[in-house]
Amino acid sequence: MRVVVVGASGNVGTALLRRLTEEPVVTSVVAVARRVPRADGSSTVRFPHDVATWRYADVAASDADERLDAAVAGADVVVHLAWAIQPSHDRRYLRRVNVEGTRRVTAAVRRAGVQHLVVASSVGAYSPARYAGEARDTPVSEAWPVEGIPGSSYSEDKAAVESLLDDVDRETGLVVSRVRSALVFQRDAASEISRYFLGPFGTRVLRREPLPTVPLPGGLRLQVVHADDLADAYARIVVGRHPGPFNVAHPTVLTAQDVADVVADGSWREVPFGTARTALAAAWRARLVPVGEGWLDMAMRVPVLDTTFAKELLRWAPVHDAKDTLAELVTGIRDGAGTSTPPLVPR
C-alpha cells in the first residue's frame, strides 16, 4: 500500500509517520509539505521523518495543482492534514490554505484515481453543544450538525471543509474518511503549539514553574487526545479503508481545575467568560497574543465527543491518559522541546 500524507511535517503528521512504520501492508510513504525537512543544518531528517520520500508542495501556491498531481500519483490512499492557524490576522490566507487547499487536494486525488481520501477535521467543525437544547456535557455522536461555532474562523473553515467533503461523497465513488479529533498534544509539538497559541509572552509566563495561579472561565471543558493515539486511529482507517466520520478523543473531559492542577499546582481564579473574552480580543488586536477570542468561543461551546463509533468499528482506544497528555505538553513547552521538521523544530 502506498500512502501519501499531505501536511506530514507537523504535529499529527509526525505521529502518523511513526505509526505507519508498524504496518506491514504499508510499503511506501510519500510525505508532502510546504516546509520539508532538510539535511542542510536548518533541520535534520531523522526518525520518523526518514521513513518517507519527501515532496514539496504549498497548497496555496499557484503551482499547487501540478505539484499535488505529481505527489499523489500511484497512491492507494491520501491523508490530508495540512492546515494553517497563523498568521491569524490574515483571514484570506487562512481560507486559501484551509478550504481552497483542501479543494485542491481533493481534485488531485480525483484526477489521479486514488480510491481513498482521509481528511483531518476537528471537534471545531461541530455546531454549539447547546444546539437543540442538549446539555453541554452530553457526548454527541458523528451525527451532530457540523455547522461550526460562529465567530471562530478556525471552526468556520472546518465546517466549510465538511461541506466540501459532503459534495465529494455525493458526486463520486471515492471513499472519504473524516477524523474529528479533540485537541492534539505531544511533547514533540511543544514548540509549535507554544508559538501558535501562546506566543513569546505567553510562553515565558508558562515557563514559570509552577504558575502562582491561573485565571480561567468556570465553565471551561476540554477534551484532548495524544498524537500517538490519534495516529493509531488514522492508521486503522487507512489500512481498513473505513469510510465516514470518526470522533477521536480521550473520553475524560478536563475542567479548569484539571488545567490548574497541571500548570499552577491546582490554584486557579474563576473569571467571567465575558471578561476573559474581552481581554483576549483586546490582546489579539494589539498583537500581544497569537490567537483571538474565536478560540475561546470554540473552547466554551464545542460539544463533548462520543467515541463509541471509533471504538466499535476501528477497535480503537486511547492509551495515554488525558491529564497526563496535557502535562506532557506543558512540560515540553517549559523544556523548549521539539523535533526535526521545520514546523516542530525548537526555537
Side-chain angles (χ1 to χ4, degrees):
M1 173 181 286
R2 184 176 181 84
V3 181
V4 175
V5 182
V6 181
S9 60
N11 181 11
V12 179
T14 293
L16 181 56
L17 294 184
R18 194 159 51 224
R19 177 61 177 81
L20 290 176
T21 64
E22 302 172 13
E23 292 294 340
V25 71
V26 176
T27 55
S28 66
V29 179
V30 175
V32 183
R34 179 175 64 87
R35 293 180 289 171
V36 300
R38 301 175 297 277
D40 61 359
S42 58
S43 60
T44 303
V45 183
R46 61 174 184 258
F47 183 83
H49 305 105
D50 60 356
V51 306
T53 300
W54 285 88
R55 290 184 176 272
Y56 163 80
D58 180 349
V59 298
S62 59
D63 63 350
D65 292 343
E66 178 183 352
R67 290 186 178 276
L68 288 170
D69 285 347
V72 305
D76 296 292
V77 56
V78 172
V79 181
H80 179 48
L81 306 174
W83 195 267
I85 292 173
Q86 296 295 343
S88 61
H89 288 269
D90 192 343
R91 186 70 185 91
R92 292 178 62 186
Y93 174 76
L94 296 182
R95 185 83 176 183
R96 192 163 70 248
V97 173
N98 298 336
V99 181
E100 294 308 315
T102 301
R103 192 185 309 278
R104 284 177 152 183
V105 170
T106 301
V109 164
R110 294 175 65 177
R111 287 192 297 269
V114 179
Q115 297 299 305
H116 187 194
L117 173 65
V118 184
V119 178
S121 188
S122 166
V123 62
Y126 281 118
S127 299
R130 294 189 183 276
Y131 184 94
E134 288 287 347
R136 167 105 199 269
D137 291 341
T138 302
V140 305
S141 74
E142 290 81 358
W144 195 257
V146 280
E147 298 172 358
I149 305 296
S152 166
S153 61
Y154 173 91
S155 183
E156 290 167 0
D157 284 353
K158 286 294 186 183
V161 165
E162 290 274 359
S163 179
L164 184 160
L165 296 176
D166 287 342
D167 293 339
V168 174
D169 272 340
R170 283 192 297 266
E171 298 169 3
T172 73
L174 181 65
V175 176
V176 178
S177 309
R178 317 168 198 204
V179 181
R180 297 171 183 162
S181 68
L183 296 170
V184 187
F185 297 152
Q186 63 171 320
R187 179 179 172 84
D188 280 353
S191 291
E192 178 189 50
I193 290 171
S194 65
R195 289 195 302 273
Y196 284 174
F197 294 100
L198 299 177
F201 175 74
T203 301
R204 285 196 298 272
V205 170
L206 186 58
R207 283 179 175 170
R208 294 180 61 187
E209 188 176 355
L211 297 179
T213 191
V214 59
L216 293 168
L220 184 68
R221 299 289 187 274
L222 299 174
Q223 273 180 296
V224 304
V225 62
H226 195 284
D228 286 338
D229 289 333
L230 178 57
D232 182 53
Y234 271 102
R236 292 168 186 264
I237 292 168
V238 166
V239 172
R241 192 171 285 185
H242 296 292
F246 294 91
N247 290 343
V248 181
H250 195 284
T252 298
V253 179
L254 301 179
T255 65
Q257 183 63 62
D258 293 316
V259 175
D261 289 345
V262 172
V263 303
D265 276 351
S267 174
W268 71 285
R269 180 168 60 87
E270 183 171 352
V271 295
F273 167 70
T275 301
R277 189 181 191 279
T278 299
L280 182 59
W284 179 70
R285 283 164 177 75
R287 299 182 184 266
L288 299 176
V289 295
V291 294
E293 67 275 18
W295 284 90
L296 183 59
D297 291 342
M298 188 167 57
M300 297 295 290
R301 300 185 69 191
V302 292
V304 172
L305 297 179
D306 181 342
T307 59
T308 301
F309 187 51
K311 292 176 181 177
E312 292 181 348
L313 183 61
L314 304 179
R315 300 187 180 277
W316 174 85
V319 173
H320 299 79
D321 176 80
K323 199 168 179 178
D324 289 346
T325 296
L326 176 60
E328 178 183 320
L329 173 70
V330 172
T331 300
I333 291 172
R334 286 172 170 165
D335 293 344
T339 189
S340 61
T341 63
L344 303 186
V345 68
R347 294 190 178 91

